[in-house]
Amino acid sequence: MFRVADTGHGVSPLTRDRLFEPFTTSKATGMGIGLAISRAIAEAHGGSLVVLDSRHGEFVLELPMEGGNE
């Protein structure tokens, strides 16, 4: 499992609900597809990508290990 935490202001509840939908972005020049693609890749390999309800932006990527060992 990988956990990535940011020192930024976090993710608002409104944004968090739609964060992994394609073409959802808070950036003026963003396309809004990066997290949707990342989650799809994780799920295609039997894993997951989620955002946590935390003070700072925090994401957890879980991927199965080869052989099924954790």
Side-chain angles (χ1 to χ4, degrees):
M1 171 173 58
F2 295 96
R3 182 172 287 181
V4 179
D6 193 351
T7 58
H9 55 79
V11 180
S12 75
L14 290 175
T15 302
R16 191 169 35 254
D17 290 344
R18 298 188 58 224
L19 194 61
F20 294 99
E21 293 178 14
F23 309 110
T24 299
T25 184
S26 61
K27 298 177 182 176
T29 60
M31 290 181 57
I33 58 171
L35 287 174
I37 290 171
S38 297
R39 178 180 263 181
I41 291 169
E43 290 174 347
H45 292 280
S48 63
L49 176 62
V50 297
V51 62
L52 301 180
D53 183 10
S54 65
R55 183 174 168 207
H56 302 290
E58 193 168 356
F59 293 82
V60 177
L61 170 63
E62 291 186 356
L63 295 171
M65 295 183 67
E66 187 175 332
N69 298 326
E70 291 192 34

